[in-house]
Amino acid sequence: MFINLENNQKKIVLDTGIKECIKGGLSTVAKLHGIKDTAEVGITIVDDKKIRELNKKYRHIDRITDVLSFALNEDGGGPDIPDCPEKDLLGDIVISAETAKRQGEEFGHGFEREVVYLAVHGLLHILGFNHEKAAEKKIMRAKEEEALRAVKLSEEYLEKDMEKKLLKAALAAKKNAYAPYSGFKVGAAVMSCSGRIFSGCNVENASYGLSCCAERNAIFSAMANGGKVLEVLCVVADTKGPVEPCGACRQVIAEFKIPRIILSNLKGDTREFTWEELLPFAFTLDRSEQD
Ligand code: THU
């Protein structure tokens, strides 16, 4: 399938990598549905102002939207006129890069996945798929995820990528550990629901009890910078097996109910726990309020 991609906006940078991913996602959908090589789809990237104008003009909805798709004819086959130059044109997809960027940040999976997702979603609509009923939605979601997997933007790839990023941030923080008394350097990194990463290292003190662990420093840094909802914490140290957080840190992890805690060492051994597994029967405010 030929993909005619045009970028008609300047607000968000669209590098060649993203353009290739968009084309890769659309080609996967085309292959899955046996769309012929001569078929063509148009995809135009615009800003919020333009998509609002188009939404108003064609759907009579005066609102910004993320994606609009226009099938050239109902059966998705292009105009049925012999020798018509647009014979194989399936339709057009229009995406707002600004909205894709905003949504990518809100969902925490980033602009790249969002814009490719919207393109694929638009093409599936052109091919006649819908998501009004739950059963239809399930089919559409599976097809979208398959196309995203082909360009390494599916949830499982992003998750692995995110885990690598977190570990990298924790290892970088470990280098800054101030541990002249124990000589035991620890690094931690925590990700908030918007995908922001905050790191911390252990900082010791001549008055030993004042030392603070890497996990707590990372979590407190997240709080200080507005990262309220924490989703994944990664801790790393040079230990035989994955590092084991101290009791005080487990209490702090329980405070913020961090659902995923990835513990690792320098050999790459990892184990994952939930906050409840790390500190069962924890003291939390909601529990004490029930009493
Ligand atoms: N430490 C951490 O930073 N995190 C842990 O999970 C365990 C212990 C630090 C505290 C202290 O600076 C050093 O390791 C030795 O206990």
Side-chain angles (χ1 to χ4, degrees):
M1 181 180 70
F2 179 71
I3 300 159
N4 188 12
L5 174 66
E6 265 185 48
N7 178 25
N8 287 350
Q9 58 84 45
K10 290 201 179 92
K11 296 200 169 119
I12 312 290
V13 180
L14 269 200
D15 60 29
T16 33
I18 296 190
K19 287 183 188 163
E20 287 312 310
C21 282
I22 294 173
K23 288 185 178 174
L26 292 177
S27 300
T28 306
V29 173
K31 271 187 217 127
L32 277 173
H33 295 96
I35 305 288
K36 48 189 177 176
D37 290 350
T38 52
E40 182 180 336
V41 73
I43 172 151
T44 312
I45 313 293
V46 297
D47 58 17
D48 277 349
K49 187 168 171 270
K50 185 71 192 173
I51 209 153
R52 184 174 184 164
E53 277 170 28
L54 295 171
N55 204 15
K56 189 173 174 195
K57 185 167 172 192
Y58 294 104
R59 292 170 68 217
H60 312 290
I61 303 174
D62 187 10
R63 215 187 312 128
I64 293 167
T65 187
D66 46 9
V67 60
L68 292 170
S69 55
F70 306 95
L72 216 64
N73 70 20
E74 293 293 81
D75 58 19
D80 198 14
I81 308 163
D83 300 326
C84 166
E86 297 204 325
K87 195 163 151 322
D88 293 320
L89 191 60
L90 297 175
D92 282 300
I93 303 162
V94 184
I95 293 173
S96 164
E98 280 180 277
T99 298
K101 176 124 195 287
R102 228 176 16 251
Q103 290 182 173
E105 278 164 15
E106 270 165 33
F107 299 140
H109 55 222
F111 172 62
E112 271 200 29
R113 179 184 151 103
E114 185 64 15
V115 77
V116 177
Y117 167 82
L118 293 172
V120 164
H121 186 85
L123 179 57
L124 287 168
H125 271 311
I126 288 177
L127 297 178
F129 290 92
N130 263 303
H131 46 83
E132 269 154 39
K133 294 189 192 115
E136 292 172 338
K137 190 173 173 176
K138 205 172 158 199
I139 294 170
M140 211 168 159
R141 283 294 302 124
K143 286 180 187 290
E144 286 158 358
E145 213 48 38
E146 186 159 356
L148 287 163
R149 204 172 296 125
V151 290
K152 296 194 165 33
L153 286 170
S154 60
E155 270 156 8
E156 64 267 27
Y157 274 109
L158 290 183
E159 196 163 286
K160 279 279 154 251
D161 233 39
M162 176 276 289
E163 286 168 14
K164 273 194 219 150
K165 258 191 223 159
L166 264 186
L167 181 62
K168 209 170 149 197
L171 285 166
K174 182 180 166 289
K175 288 203 176 115
N176 297 326
Y178 177 72
Y181 306 104
S182 72
F184 184 66
K185 294 186 164 199
V186 187
V190 66
M191 194 191 71
S192 71
C193 62
S194 65
R196 283 199 294 160
I197 290 176
F198 307 91
S199 62
C201 58
N202 52 332
V203 181
E204 298 184 345
N205 195 276
S207 172
Y208 292 177
L210 295 184
S211 301
C212 191
C213 293
E215 301 87 314
R216 268 177 285 158
N217 280 330
I219 293 170
F220 296 159
S221 164
M223 287 300 123
N225 289 288
K228 286 194 190 93
V229 179
L230 304 180
E231 285 194 340
V232 195
L233 170 71
C234 174
V235 195
V236 65
D238 190 5
T239 39
K240 202 163 159 241
V243 63
E244 291 155 348
C246 78
C249 285
R250 291 175 197 225
Q251 179 66 35
V252 173
I253 291 168
E255 179 71 27
F256 299 106
K257 298 188 168 58
I258 304 180
R260 297 183 61 199
I261 300 105
I262 302 169
L263 306 175
S264 56
N265 64 8
L266 299 187
K267 293 181 278 178
D269 301 323
T270 58
R271 277 192 76 181
E272 188 175 323
F273 298 90
T274 64
W275 69 271
E276 276 168 309
E277 284 165 345
L278 284 185
L279 190 64
F281 202 58
F283 173 76
T284 58
L285 198 60
D286 33 310
R287 186 159 296 153
S288 65
E289 274 172 353
Q290 283 165 18
D291 291 342

